[in-house]
């Protein structure tokens, strides 16, 4: 029995939350290791829908849920999300929830800066979630972040606030904004500190204990490989590493702990925000995918851009992230199409490419080469076993795994937790 690391293999919103929730009942701990509340994970259990942005998806099954050091944490959002979940009957307490004391905080000044930059960029904007993720990671790497552990030492915060505010006041002045109101910030931190500190601890120690006891850990990635700050469609990316390797650094366990890497892959492609998208469909088919797949962002409510499955991108993501097997999600959204298409390569200025090049201009210029297959008229929606799938849908799955050079471990056929087909158990690997 090993650990499992779940990552998104496209541009996010692949259905990670649903799969993590499904796997969580068999895990002893679920750990978030990067990103923040830019994530939006929707879980459907019977009649109830849960929307999580910051808390690990394991919290709904009551599994020990941990926010690792690699996450950037907005304390006010944390409070809100806990209250919302508690109102839905989910238990969140110091027994089943912990936060790394070394997490960098997202402050109101980070949200301000995110918004100011996006507004100033006009049509060149990244299309961020506006939650201050990028500015918070910048301050962490710039060694001027306020961290969770600082909340227990607010009387000694003055030198750190000096450094942080000197930096932000200069940036704010450039945007014609007033300096940071330090007194107000300190008062807000004093007010929120007890909420965060109730869960704060050296989680690496807790995880060491969990691991020693032979327990199974499920690492829950946010976003997707194509939004990774190194490997994604830079600069239209998020500000963290979203690849599987981050699970170790972002939680305080060694690289051998990541175990089976489960890449979550949507049966077609979506993207929210700006940036290149080779198989994007601006026509009725794209519209149909969006409607059938209910492709609206959980965090911002923005319409997601939709297109055919891009095997080139997913093959690249699987290689970069060392994916052991994939969970293919939203197969049901393709039900009823006469023909379906898969992108198998790109054309760029007369050359054929089998990968997405690094330069933004090249990424924007590549033209997809498609392979067309017959669709299926039967339904996959709600299927819970391989035998329930139409033969042509199985052909599609087989062609996908062949092209991405990675086997399918799970298939998801609806938002509902139990509408999931297990092909190969990641925990048994
Ligand atoms: P995440 O960010 O990767 O967790 O994905 P999101 O939750 O943002 O987006 C995935 C959406 O698709 C959610 O609304 C899920 O409820 C839904 N979903 C997940 N798996 C399936 C599936 O197999 N079929 C359908 N139709 N919807 C799914
Ligand atoms: P989950 O975990 C889809 C996108 C934003 C924007 C870019 C940078 O639900 O899959 P940021 O606010 O992170 O600085 O925005 O990244 N983005 C996501 N897209 N799913 C997500 O998370 C995302 N988190 C960020 O739309 O293009
Ligand atoms: Mg999402």
């Amino acid at each position: 029995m090993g650990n499992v690391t779940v990552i998104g293999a496209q541009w996010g919103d692949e259905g990670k939350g649903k799969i993590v929730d499904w796997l969580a009942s068999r895990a002893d701990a679920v750990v978030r290791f990067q990103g923040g509340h830019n994530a939006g994970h929707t879980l459907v259990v019977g009649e109830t829908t849960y929307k999580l942005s910051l808390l690990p998806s394991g919290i709904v099954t009551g599994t020990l849920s941990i926010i690792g050091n690699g996450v950037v944490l907005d304390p006010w959002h944390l409070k809100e999300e806990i209250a919302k979940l508690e109102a839905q009957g989910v238990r969140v307490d110091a027994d089943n929830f912990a936060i790394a004391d070394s997490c960098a905080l997202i402050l109101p000044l980070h949200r301000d800066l995110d918004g100011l930059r996006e507004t100033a960029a006009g049509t060149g904007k990244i299309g961020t979630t506006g939650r201050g993720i990028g500015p918070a990671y910048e301050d962490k790497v710039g060694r001027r972040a306020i961290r969770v552990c600082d909340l227990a030492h607010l009387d000694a915060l003055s030198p750190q606030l000096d450094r942080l505010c000197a930096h932000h006041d200069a940036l704010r002045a450039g945007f014609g904004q007033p300096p940071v109101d330090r007194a107000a910030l300190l008062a807000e931190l004093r007010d929120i500190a007890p909420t965060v500190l109730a869960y704060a601890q050296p989680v690496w120690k807790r995880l060491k204990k969990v691991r020693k006891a032979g327990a199974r850990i499920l690492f829950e990635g946010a976003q997707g490989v194509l939004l990774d700050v190194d490997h994604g469609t830079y600069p239209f990316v998020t500000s963290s590493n979203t690849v599987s390797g981050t699970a170790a650094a972002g939680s305080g366990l060694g690289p051998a702990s990541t175990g089976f890497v489960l890449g979550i892959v949507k049966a077609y492609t979506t993207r929210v925000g700006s940036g290149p998208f080779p198989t994007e469909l601006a026509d009725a088919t794209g519209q149909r995918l969006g409607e059938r797949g209910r492709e609206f962002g959980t965090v911002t409510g923005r319409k997601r851009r939709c297109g055919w499955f891009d095997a080139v991108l997913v093959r690249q993501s699987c290689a970069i992230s060392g994916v052991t097997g994939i969970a293919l999600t939203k197969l049901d959204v393709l039900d009823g199409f006469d023909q379906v298409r898969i992108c198998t390569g790109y054309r760029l200025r007369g050359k054929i490419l089998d990968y997405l090049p690094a330069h933004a201009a090249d990424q924007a210029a590549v033209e997809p080469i498609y392979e067309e297959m017959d669709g299926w008229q039967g339904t996959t929606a709600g299927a819970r076993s391989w035998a329930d799938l139409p033969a042509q849908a199985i052909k599609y799955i087989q062609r996908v795994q062949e092209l991405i050079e990675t086997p399918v471990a799970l298939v998801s056929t609806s938002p509902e937790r139990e509408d999931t087909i297990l092909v190969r158990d990641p925990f048994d690997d």
Side-chain angles (χ1 to χ4, degrees):
M1 289 284 185
N3 298 333
V4 175
T5 298
V6 165
I7 53 137
Q10 291 151 318
W11 278 293
D13 302 326
E14 299 90 349
K16 298 175 292 293
K18 170 187 162 158
I19 300 296
V20 170
D21 169 63
W22 188 79
L23 289 169
S25 57
R26 289 178 303 138
D28 301 289
V30 178
V31 188
R32 277 280 307 263
F33 54 88
Q34 48 69 232
H37 66 313
N38 50 347
H41 301 164
T42 302
L43 285 51
V44 181
V45 186
E47 297 299 302
T48 314
T49 298
Y50 302 93
K51 290 185 185 291
L52 304 173
S53 281
L54 181 58
L55 269 72
S57 298
I59 200 76
V60 172
T61 45
T63 311
L64 170 62
S65 293
I66 292 178
I67 292 186
N69 54 276
V71 168
V72 281
L73 183 126
D74 180 324
W76 300 278
H77 177 86
L78 175 80
K79 190 175 176 182
E80 245 175 61
E81 193 166 315
I82 291 176
K84 222 173 69 190
L85 285 168
E86 283 179 337
Q88 288 189 289
V90 176
R91 180 172 66 93
V92 184
D93 58 31
D95 281 336
N96 72 350
F97 181 51
I99 299 171
D101 51 7
S102 51
C103 274
L105 297 183
I106 302 180
L107 303 173
L109 51 83
H110 293 124
R111 219 173 29 238
D112 291 351
L113 187 56
D114 199 347
L116 290 166
R117 281 182 178 153
E118 287 281 273
T119 306
T123 52
K125 69 180 180 193
I126 304 286
T128 72
T129 58
R131 297 200 150 181
I133 305 293
Y137 273 119
E138 285 172 37
D139 282 345
K140 170 180 169 170
V141 178
R143 294 165 291 191
R144 47 179 183 266
I146 311 289
R147 304 195 301 166
V148 165
C149 52
D150 293 318
L151 295 173
H153 301 276
L154 288 176
D155 291 335
L157 201 63
S158 207
Q160 276 163 275
L161 273 182
D162 285 345
R163 234 187 355 259
L164 183 71
C165 291
H167 181 77
H168 279 269
D169 287 348
L171 290 169
R172 292 167 72 95
F175 288 106
Q177 295 296 310
V180 176
D181 183 340
R182 281 181 55 151
L185 175 59
L186 200 53
E188 283 182 275
L189 288 171
R190 252 186 232 296
D191 183 54
I192 199 72
T195 305
V196 182
L197 291 174
Y199 309 104
Q201 56 182 266
V203 300
W204 64 269
K205 243 169 157 282
R206 181 115 178 222
L207 286 169
K208 181 180 166 200
K209 208 164 131 195
V210 166
R211 187 136 198 260
K212 255 196 161 159
R216 285 163 302 189
I217 303 171
L218 178 54
F219 296 96
E220 179 180 17
Q223 290 83 52
V225 174
L226 297 167
L227 289 169
D228 182 283
V229 68
D230 286 285
H231 298 287
T233 45
Y234 194 91
F236 301 100
V237 293
T238 192
S239 297
S240 67
N241 283 111
T242 59
V243 291
S244 58
T246 316
S251 65
L253 279 168
S257 302
T258 44
F260 188 107
V261 179
L262 183 66
I264 314 299
V265 175
K266 205 178 271 194
Y268 49 100
T269 314
T270 63
R271 165 161 215 175
V272 55
S274 324
F277 181 171
T279 63
E280 182 170 15
L281 296 168
D283 58 7
T285 307
Q287 181 94 1
R288 183 167 167 199
L289 286 170
E291 279 164 15
R292 287 189 54 84
R294 299 206 178 121
E295 296 295 354
F296 291 92
T298 315
V299 174
T300 56
R302 287 179 292 178
K303 205 168 166 183
R304 295 174 185 150
R305 302 154 63 192
C306 297
W308 292 120
F309 185 76
D310 189 334
V312 180
L313 291 183
V314 176
R315 183 169 59 229
Q316 189 158 330
S317 290
C318 287
I320 285 167
S321 232
V323 170
T324 322
I326 67 158
L328 189 68
T329 62
K330 305 192 86 159
L331 185 64
D332 53 295
V333 174
L334 296 181
D335 286 358
F337 277 86
D338 292 332
Q339 302 284 315
V340 288
R341 290 177 151 202
I342 299 180
C343 170
T344 57
Y346 299 133
R347 218 170 259 117
L348 178 66
R349 297 180 202 101
K351 278 198 184 142
I352 304 286
L353 295 184
D354 64 357
Y355 70 101
L356 186 73
H359 198 272
D362 289 343
Q363 292 180 349
V366 295
E367 288 168 37
I369 300 168
Y370 286 116
E371 176 177 298
E372 198 161 69
M373 291 175 73
D374 284 341
W376 50 93
Q377 294 313 311
T379 176
T380 68
R384 295 185 180 186
S385 81
W386 197 256
D388 293 338
L389 298 175
Q392 194 60 26
I394 293 177
K395 265 198 191 158
Y396 182 77
I397 299 173
Q398 282 167 340
R399 188 62 185 137
V400 164
Q401 53 180 6
E402 216 171 79
L403 286 167
I404 65 171
E405 298 166 17
T406 312
V408 170
L410 296 167
V411 179
S412 167
T413 59
S414 101
E416 161 62 34
R417 179 192 276 167
E418 297 305 329
D419 292 339
T420 306
I421 302 170
L422 180 65
V423 181
R424 170 180 172 193
D425 191 337
F427 280 119
D428 277 346
D429 225 69

